[in-house]
Amino acid sequence: MSLNVNGIESFYNNYKTDTASSSASKLEDTLNSDLSTATEDELMDVCKDFESYFIEQMFKAMQKMVPESNDSISAANRQMQDFYKEQMTQSFAEQASESGGLGIAQVLYEQMKRNYGLE
């Protein structure tokens, strides 16, 4: 069985574009929806999604501060490395948000409850 690097590269490029735009657009769609009829659990989920996205963007900004390695790796290997780094960053952000994160989700949740009269 042979591994077609071009196929992997194509998959990665499509995934990267889809993931970057889908996480932002999913969050935007959720925030633009009418949350006045949402349950408290749904509001908390929205707040956690926002905090997770915010943390993910912070992690990505921090990663840009780390100098790139001068190792001579192929473009396909670099793309796969970027793919797994993206996956890891998203996972870390979700875990951070679920475990209390920065507290942004809780503050947003309390404010949204007041705004929608759920208290």
Side-chain angles (χ1 to χ4, degrees), residues 12 68-69 71 73-88:
Y12 170 73
E68 289 285 327
S69 172
D71 293 342
I73 62 174
S74 70
N77 285 342
R78 171 105 31 223
Q79 288 179 333
M80 290 306 291
Q81 183 181 22
D82 290 344
F83 171 79
Y84 286 112
K85 186 166 52 172
E86 177 80 20
Q87 291 292 306
M88 182 187 68

Side-chain angles (χ1 to χ4, degrees), residues 16-31 44-62 86 89-98 101-102 104-105 108:
K16 184 176 174 183
T17 303
D18 291 345
T19 302
S21 62
S22 71
S23 63
S25 65
K26 177 186 169 205
L27 181 61
E28 186 177 338
D29 290 345
T30 302
L31 293 175
M44 183 53 103
D45 287 343
V46 168
C47 294
K48 285 182 180 179
D49 286 347
F50 175 80
E51 183 176 37
S52 176
Y53 180 77
F54 181 80
I55 292 171
E56 180 182 340
Q57 296 309 306
M58 276 185 8
F59 286 162
K60 287 178 180 180
M62 287 188 284
E86 177 80 20
T89 301
Q90 287 177 355
S91 179
F92 283 163
E94 289 170 8
Q95 289 174 9
S97 180
E98 285 297 320
L102 304 173
I104 295 171
L108 285 173

